[in-house]
Amino acid sequence: MMSRQAFLCSLGSLYLSLLFVFLLMDVYARPANNSALKEKPADSKDENEILPPDHLNGVKMEMDGHLNKEFHQEVFLGKEMEEFEEDSEPRKNRKKLMVIFSKVDINNDKKIGAKEMQRWIMEKTDEHFQEAVEENKMHFRAVDPDGDGHVSWDEYKIKFLASKGFNEKEIAEKIKNNEELKIDEETQEVLDNLKDRWYQADNPPPDLLLNEEEFLSFLHPEHSRGMLKFMVKEIIRDLDQDGDKKLTLSEFISLPVGTVENQQAQDIDDDWVKDRRKEFEEVIDANHDGIVTMEELEEYMDPMNEYNALNEAKQMIAVADENQNHHLELEEILKYSEYFTGSKLMDYARNVHEEF
């Protein structure tokens, strides 16, 4: 007779075998995707290669009209921003920050003035642009399948839908034969917005084909004057409540759609309004008449605007200028490191003396 222990082991093995069989049955019995054009989800890297980025480095306002919370760090650190992580060693970050200070301090007087900071901001902004140019070369090759140096809207549309999980060959065949594409409403809305942007990037004479330079404008409108105007129009369209193509303070600080459910959310919304009010009154509204025009917003959005860079330099200095000499000393930057780098350095005063 089989022992109780052997019986339980045998029963356990049988259970595992049945479970494995049921799992296999479940995998093979799953229904196919509703869309015949859909295939496995695209790799996020491939999608990022052809989609305009949600976030534009070195630009004060996002394309959706939200303020860029990392702007100060982007124009102060440039490519080195990724090196300053929250879990990095404070001592290493401190050394990196000291090196940056010495680079900004071009006259070597151990302090940074507004002009020095302005020059640095412009240099870091140009660095972001050059990075975008290099990335664009790779991205353009990804959407130019025949390598003729031009991309049509249909070619881009096929690649975009493929990145969203649609079958590329079937999509291409349907577009070639002018057949209707069964696309969900959300994807279609994104496509419509991209098409508008595509036409704006198509420099005169319009041929509905984008070359590499025009494709750069499509992906990075902040570096094209014509596309910058288009981006400003889009932002004002989203925020302008009375349709006069201008922004009042109340329109600019209006809370996003949604209700406040708790005190924490209320505090976040209060900070959001406070930040936007300050930016509107002190920076964007250049003539302080309570109205922001398209021209004012365009100047504000232009990352290569030297006047804006100087104002930004003065603001950045004012944040940490404890001795009120209108300059930044190393100790001040180290103390306010979280503002400049996103990384907080502990015991900055003691450590800076150790370094010297």
Side-chain angles (χ1 to χ4, degrees), residues 306-324:
E306 293 188 9
Y307 177 75
N308 284 350
L310 181 59
N311 279 340
E312 189 62 36
K314 292 176 180 177
Q315 287 182 1
M316 292 173 75
I317 290 173
V319 166
D321 183 21
E322 289 195 338
N323 61 12
Q324 298 295 301

Side-chain angles (χ1 to χ4, degrees), residues 42-58:
D43 182 84
S44 59
K45 184 177 181 296
D46 293 335
E47 182 175 338
N48 289 337
E49 285 181 351
I50 64 171
L51 273 176
D54 292 329
H55 174 74
L56 302 173
N57 288 325

Side-chain angles (χ1 to χ4, degrees), residues 51-115:
L51 273 176
D54 292 329
H55 174 74
L56 302 173
N57 288 325
V59 180
K60 296 201 74 172
M61 187 179 287
E62 307 283 9
M63 295 189 65
D64 59 5
H66 285 71
L67 298 180
N68 177 7
K69 293 295 185 181
E70 298 181 336
F71 176 76
H72 306 300
Q73 293 149 33
E74 289 170 356
V75 296
F76 185 73
L77 297 177
K79 290 181 179 179
E80 283 123 5
M81 184 173 173
E82 295 179 2
E83 297 180 15
F84 285 81
E85 300 175 355
E86 291 183 8
D87 56 351
S88 296
E89 285 186 44
R91 190 177 184 84
K92 287 184 178 180
N93 282 348
R94 188 169 57 253
K95 287 183 177 180
K96 294 174 193 171
L97 195 49
M98 292 171 69
V99 170
I100 292 175
F101 180 90
S102 65
K103 290 180 179 178
V104 184
D105 179 24
I106 54 175
N107 63 4
N108 297 314
D109 64 352
K110 306 301 181 185
K111 57 187 178 182
I112 295 174
K115 284 291 185 180

Side-chain angles (χ1 to χ4, degrees), residues 45 48-50 131-144 212 215 219:
K45 184 177 181 296
N48 289 337
E49 285 181 351
I50 64 171
E131 187 177 17
V133 170
E134 290 303 312
E135 289 179 352
N136 184 67
K137 292 179 181 177
M138 176 183 66
H139 299 165
F140 186 75
R141 286 196 296 268
V143 295
D144 183 21
E212 189 173 310
F215 193 72
L219 290 183

Side-chain angles (χ1 to χ4, degrees), residues 98-163:
M98 292 171 69
V99 170
I100 292 175
F101 180 90
S102 65
K103 290 180 179 178
V104 184
D105 179 24
I106 54 175
N107 63 4
N108 297 314
D109 64 352
K110 306 301 181 185
K111 57 187 178 182
I112 295 174
K115 284 291 185 180
E116 289 174 313
M117 185 67 86
Q118 178 197 30
R119 178 198 65 84
W120 182 255
I121 289 174
M122 295 297 293
E123 186 177 311
K124 294 294 107 177
T125 302
D126 185 64
E127 191 176 281
H128 286 304
F129 175 61
Q130 295 305 324
E131 187 177 17
V133 170
E134 290 303 312
E135 289 179 352
N136 184 67
K137 292 179 181 177
M138 176 183 66
H139 299 165
F140 186 75
R141 286 196 296 268
V143 295
D144 183 21
D146 53 15
D148 65 352
H150 294 85
V151 179
S152 70
W153 168 249
D154 282 345
E155 284 178 326
Y156 178 81
K157 184 177 180 179
I158 291 167
K159 290 293 184 181
F160 168 78
L161 291 174
S163 77

Side-chain angles (χ1 to χ4, degrees), residues 172 244 253 291 303 314 323:
D244 64 353
I253 66 174
I291 298 291
K314 292 176 180 177
N323 61 12

